[in-house]
Amino acid sequence: MGGCMSDSQDTTDRNVEREIEKDKKQDTRAHKLLLLGAGGSGKSTFFKQLKAIHGEGHNDREKEGFKRQIHGQVVESIQLLIRQCKTVTKDPLPGIKDEDDEPFGNDDLDDARLSNSLKVEMTETEIAQFKIAKEFDQSCQYLLEIHGSRSALTEQLVTHVKSLWNECPAIQAMFEHRNKIGIPDSSAFFFNDIERIGRSDYTPDHKDIVLARYRTTGMTEKEFHIKDAVFKVLDVGGQRNERKKWIHFFDGVTAVLFVVSLTCYDEVPFEDVTDLAADVTLMNSMLESIKVFEDTLDFECFQKTGFILFFNKADLMQEKIKRVPITNAFPNYKGPQEFKPSVDYISKYFLSLNRVPEREMLLRFFFEYVLFVNYW
């Protein structure tokens, strides 16, 4: 009997070894692509687009997760807009005080990143534009008392968000400073469509999923079959506290996909969000992307690895450049305040950071709803 058990165990061991060998061979045939970039660059959006176009799409469980993320983004964004308005105008948050009668005393509302004091020196006229009228006190109080950014959008919550967004000039005025206070551009899309996304039968469509913003933590891996090739894409978090984990995924990389947001040259990184007086020429997400890209190029294991630079949000850049010059991040730029020459300068600047001439560097431009195209 003992011999039978031994034979059975040997057979099991051999089967396991064969499966391991099979997995190793399959893994060597797959092209391992590492998706990197600074926080807020749009890496996860890129990953979602890959899955929608070259994967099996998003199943019902994943769509339910995106629904929660979208609802959370709406709640977090409107709460932040209210807090910033109340703090700048030095009004206490309605109904929420601590023992010293100071705003932000409630721990559930005191997010370390989002509710830093915004005490800035402004004229009375400048302050007045952020003054929320008394008629909106009930909506402000209701929204600020919601605990947790994953709250579902109830009918009452939708009513209050719609009222503040559509009828309160102070909220709109503060939203114009979203680049300094950490509010995603796409929040306006969800605010404008609040009734649809607040319905009980709401299911996110492709555009909703692409526009949903959240911070990636850890690592997400997905295999894609494109024609006869197999690509294994690894998406890792881009925030500063996530980057120390990157090195664990560097082995056997075929190419690095590095994503840069073209619109981030006047946006404060979320780790540095402080106040409306932040100097975006000293700290902005484009400078952060440049630093991260330089550091990534310098890794010894990437000296012979090809890089594909994806410049994201090109369509949004076409509009932004009309209002905001790239000199916030590139003070030496002397060209016209136009899309093509500005983007041409940015792309050449990034390419100039490569100190290894034989390393292949490709450029691609990523529009909001098109996966990747070469713009020129």
Side-chain angles (χ1 to χ4, degrees):
M1 182 180 295
C4 291
M5 291 181 65
S6 178
D7 290 343
S8 176
Q9 182 64 48
D10 288 344
T11 301
T12 300
D13 290 343
R14 285 194 296 271
N15 288 337
V16 170
E17 288 174 3
R18 278 197 294 269
E19 287 298 317
I20 292 173
E21 251 343 276
K22 181 181 177 182
D23 289 342
K24 284 182 178 178
K25 288 180 181 179
Q26 288 179 339
D27 197 53
T28 57
R29 288 199 299 268
H31 301 284
K32 184 177 177 182
L33 307 177
L34 190 57
L35 188 57
L36 301 180
S41 60
K43 291 189 305 87
S44 296
T45 299
F46 179 91
F47 193 78
K48 286 183 287 187
Q49 288 280 44
L50 272 178
K51 187 170 183 181
I53 296 173
H54 296 292
E56 70 281 8
H58 301 287
N59 58 38
D60 291 341
R61 182 180 61 82
E62 290 171 326
K63 288 181 179 179
E64 185 61 30
F66 284 121
K67 176 180 177 179
R68 290 193 297 270
Q69 289 168 2
I70 291 166
H71 286 188
Q73 180 177 333
V74 168
V75 172
E76 184 180 86
S77 294
I78 198 68
Q79 285 181 332
L80 178 55
L81 288 169
I82 296 168
R83 290 188 193 126
Q84 311 300 48
C85 285
K86 292 292 181 180
T87 306
V88 169
T89 57
K90 300 178 175 58
D91 282 353
L93 299 175
I96 302 175
K97 300 177 181 179
D98 64 11
E99 294 178 354
D100 297 322
D101 201 37
E102 292 291 335
F104 305 125
N106 189 303
D107 289 338
D108 292 325
L109 294 176
D110 189 16
D111 183 282
R113 177 176 70 85
L114 298 177
S115 27
N116 287 331
S117 175
L118 298 181
K119 296 182 178 175
V120 297
E121 295 183 6
M122 294 186 293
T123 66
E124 290 186 8
T125 301
E126 290 172 327
I127 291 174
Q129 67 178 320
F130 302 115
K131 179 77 172 178
I132 298 177
K134 292 290 185 183
E135 63 187 279
F136 298 107
D137 274 358
Q138 183 180 356
S139 292
C140 291
Q141 181 166 340
Y142 178 88
L143 291 166
L144 289 176
E145 287 178 345
I146 294 173
H147 298 285
S149 62
R150 292 302 180 96
S151 300
L153 296 186
T154 63
E155 184 178 347
Q156 190 174 8
L157 194 155
V158 166
T159 299
H160 287 301
V161 171
K162 185 178 178 181
S163 173
L164 280 170
W165 178 248
N166 292 332
E167 302 169 22
C168 182
I171 294 295
Q172 289 285 346
M174 184 58 73
F175 187 76
E176 290 300 310
H177 296 273
R178 59 191 177 277
N179 62 312
K180 295 182 179 180
I181 59 177
I183 294 181
D185 290 330
S186 63
S187 291
F189 171 82
F190 295 122
F191 288 150
N192 287 328
D193 217 0
I194 189 70
E195 290 187 345
R196 177 178 66 88
I197 68 172
R199 291 201 306 257
S200 58
D201 61 348
Y202 164 66
T203 299
D205 59 23
H206 176 63
K207 185 174 182 179
D208 296 337
I209 291 171
V210 168
L211 290 176
R213 296 290 180 258
Y214 60 94
R215 291 184 293 279
T216 301
T217 57
M219 187 275 289
T220 302
E221 179 181 319
K222 186 67 182 175
E223 195 171 276
F224 299 97
H225 296 258
I226 304 176
K227 295 184 178 180
D228 296 328
V230 179
F231 297 91
K232 184 178 291 184
V233 181
L234 284 72
D235 177 23
V236 293
Q239 279 71 40
R240 292 171 191 164
N241 63 335
E242 292 289 324
R243 291 174 206 156
K244 59 186 177 183
K245 306 173 187 176
W246 287 5
I247 196 169
H248 300 297
F249 308 107
F250 286 176
D251 290 339
V253 171
T254 306
V256 174
L257 310 181
F258 196 92
V259 182
V260 179
S261 168
L262 283 172
T263 63
C264 70
Y265 54 86
D266 74 330
E267 298 172 3
V268 177
F270 92 94
E271 296 98 336
D272 296 325
V273 167
T274 53
D275 56 52
L276 298 184
D279 187 346
V280 294
T281 64
L282 296 178
M283 54 177 182
N284 60 66
S285 294
M286 183 64 79
L287 298 177
E288 182 104 340
S289 287
I290 291 169
K291 175 66 166 60
V292 176
F293 185 59
E294 285 185 298
D295 290 345
T296 306
L297 288 172
D298 286 341
F299 279 112
E300 186 65 32
C301 58
F302 288 156
Q303 295 306 296
K304 296 181 180 179
T305 303
F307 276 69
I308 305 176
L309 262 170
F310 282 94
F311 290 101
N312 189 24
K313 305 180 184 178
D315 49 342
L316 300 180
M317 165 71 159
Q318 287 175 317
E319 295 302 316
K320 189 170 198 173
I321 193 61
K322 299 173 184 176
R323 301 177 286 105
V324 186
I326 66 170
T327 48
N328 284 314
F330 303 97
N332 293 327
Y333 175 70
K334 306 301 181 184
Q337 191 171 320
E338 298 172 2
F339 175 72
K340 192 178 185 306
S342 296
V343 173
D344 192 42
Y345 184 90
I346 294 172
S347 59
K348 287 179 179 177
Y349 186 92
F350 271 86
L351 289 177
S352 72
L353 300 175
N354 177 34
R355 311 300 183 194
V356 182
E358 61 270 23
R359 178 164 45 197
E360 187 176 11
M361 304 284 286
L362 299 177
L363 291 180
R364 293 294 184 269
F365 294 85
F366 182 33
F367 288 74
E368 197 70 52
Y369 309 114
V370 180
L371 181 55
F372 47 86
V373 293
N374 195 338
Y375 186 74
W376 311 136

